[in-house]
Amino acid sequence: MAGALNKALADALEADPDVLVFGEDVGALGGVFRVTDGLAARFGDARVFDTPLAESGIVGTAIGMAMNGLRPVVEMQFDAFAYPAFEQITSHLAKMRNRTRGRVGLPVVIRVPYGGGIGGVEHHCDSSEAYYTHTPGLRVVTPGTPDDAYRLLRDAIDCPDPVIFLEPKRRYWAKGEVTPSGSASPGPGFDRALVRRAGRDVTLIAYGPMVATALETAGAAAEEGWDVEVVDLRSLAPFDDETVCASVRRTGRAVVVHEASGFGGYGAEVVARVTERCFHHLHAPVLRVTGFDTPYPPPKLEEHHLPSVDRILDAIARLQWDDEVVGSARA
């Protein structure tokens, strides 16, 4: 995935001279996770460059650049490092188009490595998606596969709106086929969810780092007699009601999975939308499997905090199964 993101940035820089890449250590070092490796040497330090350790200044500078015709792509380095820039993001980046009645757009991409699974210490692992999705005016996307990392980042850079691009850092080393192209590779739209695995009994709704975990769970569930469908949201804001609800109406059951804490988490919005639109198709309440309502724990305890295959299987087992409504896989 890291290589796919690097390729997307390189192709965007090559295709559009207005694209700039900057942030802490993205230049000569190539970023903490080496996502920008080699870009400064290839495109020069006028287009790929390091900044001071000042996230508010990074985003504020990007806003000014975008107001004057450039397309900045900035990196926050770690999820919890982005909070000093929160005021710039929510008060200015998200509101400028509305404030100017559409006259000023801000095509800014903010790349945020997020989530756990790397054994990071405090302030290096967080899941901040709900803060951004709650803010009108921001698009929020997150890839679950290497190919989607390339596709979504190219789309984000081309987008006329500000995009919060959440990169699941535990999946940077995930392998997969990638199809680079002149722009975004063919596939579902920038704001569309995708059914990663078809099934009949229950829909697992996941995104970012939990897509791979959901697919692993679906394989394990088959051994228990459950035929599980996996939907990768891809776009958290806007939300693809059509794809998600079509899946839930087919299966009649749903479980939402994310790393962030459960209380007030993004999954609560997903549950509400699915319940409102699919109520008469549901055989059981929609459940959530999330991180606990605590800060991300120290590295040695992290595995207990993150949703696991066993925890998701336990939730599936609680979906009020009976002989009249099970799918063909359990018949």
Side-chain angles (χ1 to χ4, degrees), residues 25 57 68 95 106 115 141-142 157-158 160 170 174 185 187 189-190 205 214 224 231-232 236 244 258 292 294 302 318:
D25 294 323
N68 288 277
K95 293 181 172 63
L106 294 180
V141 299
T142 179
I157 295 171
D158 289 342
R170 70 187 295 193
S185 53
F190 186 41
I205 303 169
E224 302 292 331
V231 175
D232 177 359
L236 305 187
V244 174
H258 62 65
F292 299 114
T294 65
E302 192 177 41
R318 292 189 281 115

Side-chain angles (χ1 to χ4, degrees), residues 22-27 29-32 36 49-56 58 74-78 81:
F22 56 95
E24 298 165 6
D25 294 323
V26 304
L29 180 65
V32 172
T36 58
F49 53 89
D50 291 331
T51 67
L53 305 182
E55 287 78 11
S56 180
I58 293 171
V74 303
E75 179 182 301
M76 291 288 99
Q77 196 170 74
F78 284 95
F81 290 10

Side-chain angles (χ1 to χ4, degrees), residues 257-281:
V257 185
H258 62 65
E259 284 189 17
S261 301
F263 188 86
Y266 183 78
E269 174 65 22
V270 179
V271 171
R273 299 180 80 90
V274 168
T275 302
E276 290 169 358
R277 292 161 176 78
C278 305
F279 182 78
H280 293 290
H281 296 265

